[in-house]
Amino acid sequence: MLDWFRFVLTAVLMLAGLFVLLVGVVSQYRFRYVLNRMHAASMGDSLGLLLVLTGLCVSQNDGWVILKYLLTALFLWLTSPTGSHLIARLELTTNDHPEQEMEMIDL
């Protein structure tokens, strides 16, 4: 009984993570402005990978493997927003008129 619950919880977490990652990829093509694209990618990356790695942690029995997954999630949570922030600052520094590009494609 516990194995089925574990399997269902793993499947739900991993499917939710894959859905969030898919939404992040689709939003890369839907937005025009680079900062909107970066925000969608960064949020999708952080949440999607957290859900996938949490699903993998639930599916494991070995404590060392779970610790490695959690350290990977921590590393990604620290580096992904930092990298996105630096790229956003570069875009704002080098672009002369960022307010002219702040339009979305009509859904």
Side-chain angles (χ1 to χ4, degrees):
M1 178 67 182
L2 186 60
D3 290 335
W4 278 102
F5 177 71
R6 191 182 219 174
F7 174 74
V8 169
L9 185 60
T10 299
V12 167
L13 286 171
M14 291 188 75
L15 287 174
L18 291 174
F19 176 74
V20 169
L21 287 169
L22 180 68
V23 168
V25 168
V26 170
S27 66
Q28 292 291 308
Y29 296 105
R30 299 295 291 172
F31 291 118
R32 287 186 187 167
Y33 187 50
V34 68
L35 295 180
N36 291 339
R37 285 190 222 156
M38 286 178 46
H39 177 72
S42 178
M43 295 300 289
D45 181 37
S46 299
L47 181 61
L49 286 175
L50 177 74
L51 288 171
V52 168
L53 288 172
T54 304
L56 288 172
C57 286
V58 169
S59 70
Q60 291 295 318
N61 290 329
D62 189 13
W64 288 109
V65 175
I66 293 172
L67 180 65
K68 289 177 188 179
Y69 285 147
L70 293 176
L71 288 174
T72 303
L74 178 68
F75 177 75
L76 290 172
W77 259 28
L78 291 175
T79 57
S80 180
T82 305
S84 295
H85 176 73
L86 290 174
I87 294 171
R89 286 189 63 187
L90 177 69
E91 168 65 23
L92 288 176
T93 303
T94 59
N95 194 354
D96 293 334
H97 303 287
E99 64 276 352
Q100 292 177 353
E101 298 179 20
M102 294 189 67
E103 298 175 4
M104 281 181 34
I105 295 174
D106 294 330
L107 298 176

